[in-house]
Amino acid sequence: MITIQQEFFGIFEKELVTEMEQVAVIKKFMAGEVIIDIGQYIKFMPLLLDGVIKIIREDKNEGELLLYFLEKGDTCAMSIACCVGAKKSEIRAIADVDTTVAMIPNQYLDGWMGKYKSWRNFILESYSNRLNEMLTTVDNIAFSQMDVRIMNYLKEKATISQSQSIDVTHQIIATDLNTSRVVVSRILKSLENQGKILLQRNNIRLL
């Protein structure tokens, strides 16, 4: 199992890594398992040691929209805000694949900001990266047609998994992009006819 030392050595000060290893709770989540839910008070900040987490926003009609993915070495800026402000979560974090997370208790976050430069830079960079990803999501919704959004989604999944072969169902894509399975299936078939993808059972290969 990957450790905090393995993932963050050279990124954080040695003293900070030691503190993290002393206070963090390491948890494993199976693919599809909810890590943080909407309306939940967050007592720990997640540091992703292995796997992929997708961050989802839910509207009043319980429709879901994928905001961004977290990869190994990332944390969720939105959960940090809830941790520091003692607010209820407005997002749902779900393990996209089997995932290992270091859960850092809230009471250490603020102190580390003043004590460790690397931690402060990490948090600020995380905010910046997540903001840019959410702006990309907004741009896709506002300005891109669904076929472009689906291709961008598949390319991001391929980048994260480091494979052109993506294990995903039409329904999962529809849920993540807040559209219908019928629309997704029609567009995927069109993309296949254009020679951009190859459709297989519960798998899509980028060409």
Side-chain angles (χ1 to χ4, degrees), residues 34 36-40 56-58 88-93:
V34 175
I36 299 171
D37 209 352
I38 295 169
Q40 171 186 345
I56 291 171
R57 186 87 161 92
E58 190 177 84
K88 291 182 179 180
S89 172
E90 296 183 357
I91 54 92
R92 178 175 294 119

Side-chain angles (χ1 to χ4, degrees), residues 35-72:
I35 300 171
I36 299 171
D37 209 352
I38 295 169
Q40 171 186 345
Y41 282 105
I42 303 176
K43 299 180 180 180
F44 297 86
M45 190 201 81
L47 276 178
L48 188 52
L49 299 181
D50 192 35
V52 179
I53 297 173
K54 60 182 179 182
I55 305 300
I56 291 171
R57 186 87 161 92
E58 190 177 84
D59 66 20
K60 294 180 180 180
N61 297 319
E62 297 187 353
E64 293 183 345
L65 176 65
L66 174 67
L67 295 181
Y68 50 80
F69 288 100
L70 298 178
E71 303 176 59
K72 185 170 67 171

Side-chain angles (χ1 to χ4, degrees), residues 140-207:
N140 282 334
I141 294 171
F143 306 118
S144 299
Q145 296 180 340
M146 185 56 69
D147 59 340
V148 176
R149 292 180 61 196
I150 290 175
M151 280 301 299
N152 288 340
Y153 173 91
L154 294 175
K155 289 176 181 177
E156 184 171 10
K157 294 275 282 185
T159 299
I160 291 170
S161 64
Q162 297 183 339
S163 172
Q164 295 297 96
S165 183
I166 306 158
D167 292 326
V168 66
T169 66
H170 296 193
Q171 184 57 59
I172 289 175
I173 297 173
T175 299
D176 286 347
L177 299 183
N178 197 20
T179 187
S180 72
R181 186 189 61 78
V182 173
V183 169
V184 169
S185 296
R186 175 175 55 80
I187 292 175
L188 288 175
K189 190 62 180 177
S190 175
L191 292 171
E192 184 178 45
N193 291 337
Q194 295 172 43
K196 294 181 178 180
I197 62 173
L198 176 64
L199 295 177
Q200 299 171 315
R201 182 173 178 81
N202 296 335
N203 179 274
I204 300 171
R205 184 170 187 82
L206 292 178
L207 300 176

Side-chain angles (χ1 to χ4, degrees), residues 74-85:
D74 286 341
T75 190
C76 178
M78 296 187 74
S79 68
I80 297 171
C82 292
C83 288
V84 175

